[in-house]
Amino acid sequence: MDVPTELTLREGIYAGLMELIVLWDIDHTLIDNSGVSKEIYGGAFTALTGAAPTRPARTEGRTDRLIMRDMFALDGLPEPEWSVVEGALARAGEDRFEDLRRRGTALPGVREILKAASAQDSWVSSVLTGNIAANARVKVSAFGLDSLLDLSVGAYGADALQRPDLVAVARERVQRLRGVREGTPVVLVGDTPRDVEAALATGSGIIAVASGIHTPEELATAGASEVLPDLSDTGRLLQILETFAAR
């Protein structure tokens, strides 16, 4: 009879663990950007056109592609090639890193729940955000959250026009780069009805947090079965995530 080695024992333990992909929104879910985000869009627009935008960017869970497209359309201007727009956004974000760190903050409980999620061996904890990848990294690194997230497998505002399409992008990256099996449950955590809609449209779980401009009632009406005031209750959040992993 073969004696189990430490490796085979460990493989057996991990085989019994429940896998989960957790995708966090950034603005008003993980951080409060204190208006810096709109300044990034405005700065990129001005750099490309030589003039200030007619109105501040309308965000609310939309992708950077949509946000910038609407800004050009509102001013009756042709939209530059996306690569040019993305470059301007990245430069505007980098230029405002210190402003973000000085004026913004990580929201209550965020550091604790990200640490707890990253400590789960069978979970992948990343982001699903309307921000381009460069600015997503600027925003989380401004508050030291980047080391707690697997950013290389996230989905970003340059990856698709509509938010629901980002879920498939993240799924593919997680499966290809982390070897997570197909069919592993996905949970989105976000603060807008668009986060809820993206989850429902893709068969993902959703934890909605009323830490942005939307009320718990609005998030529940959008279809979220789990609505929390913020991310401060680490124990409760872990329990909810574990129920999704068990499905």
Side-chain angles (χ1 to χ4, degrees):
M1 178 177 174
D2 294 334
V3 177
T5 64
E6 181 181 351
L7 177 60
T8 57
L9 285 171
R10 188 162 61 244
E11 287 174 342
I13 290 170
Y14 289 154
L17 293 176
M18 295 176 292
E19 292 182 340
L20 185 67
I21 301 168
V22 189
L23 301 173
W24 310 85
D25 175 50
I26 295 178
D27 292 300
H28 308 296
T29 298
L30 298 182
I31 72 163
D32 179 352
N33 64 63
S34 295
V36 173
S37 197
K38 289 186 185 296
E39 294 170 11
I40 290 172
Y41 296 117
F45 182 92
T46 299
L48 292 170
T49 67
T54 300
R55 275 189 272 172
R58 184 168 65 90
T59 54
E60 297 178 10
R62 299 157 81 238
T63 65
D64 280 1
R65 282 180 176 269
L66 279 178
I67 291 167
M68 294 301 293
R69 173 179 290 184
D70 284 358
M71 291 179 76
F72 288 112
L74 185 64
D75 280 40
L77 299 172
E79 182 183 7
E81 290 186 7
W82 170 247
S83 60
V84 175
V85 177
E86 185 175 12
L89 280 170
R91 288 188 293 274
E94 184 178 359
D95 288 346
R96 288 161 178 79
F97 177 82
E98 291 300 333
D99 285 341
L100 179 62
R101 187 158 61 175
R102 176 171 49 84
R103 290 160 46 191
T105 185
L107 289 169
V110 163
R111 204 173 308 276
E112 291 75 17
I113 189 57
L114 291 185
K115 284 181 180 178
S118 67
Q120 303 292 319
D121 289 320
S122 56
W123 293 7
V124 174
S125 179
S126 188
V127 297
L128 188 145
T129 172
N131 291 284
I132 61 170
N135 288 348
R137 185 172 291 278
V138 162
K139 289 179 178 182
V140 294
S141 64
F143 309 106
L145 304 177
D146 50 321
S147 63
L148 303 176
L149 292 158
D150 192 350
L151 295 176
S152 61
V153 296
Y156 302 94
D159 292 324
L161 194 64
Q162 302 293 343
R163 197 174 190 93
D165 295 330
L166 296 178
V167 177
V169 173
R171 276 185 181 274
E172 188 278 330
R173 285 177 178 158
V174 171
Q175 290 169 11
R176 175 169 50 87
L177 298 176
R178 297 295 173 264
V180 172
R181 61 182 174 82
E182 187 175 351
T184 293
V186 175
V187 181
L188 308 187
V189 186
D191 67 289
T192 74
R194 280 191 172 85
D195 295 293
V196 180
E197 292 161 8
L200 297 179
T202 58
S204 305
I206 178 67
I207 301 174
V209 286
S211 46
I213 65 172
H214 297 283
T215 66
E217 293 75 21
E218 288 174 319
L219 296 170
T221 298
S225 57
E226 297 286 351
V227 182
L228 302 175
D230 53 34
L231 299 177
S232 61
D233 191 340
T234 304
R236 173 65 177 144
L237 266 165
L238 282 175
Q239 287 178 348
I240 296 171
L241 289 170
E242 286 166 358
T243 63
F244 284 115
R247 294 179 182 179

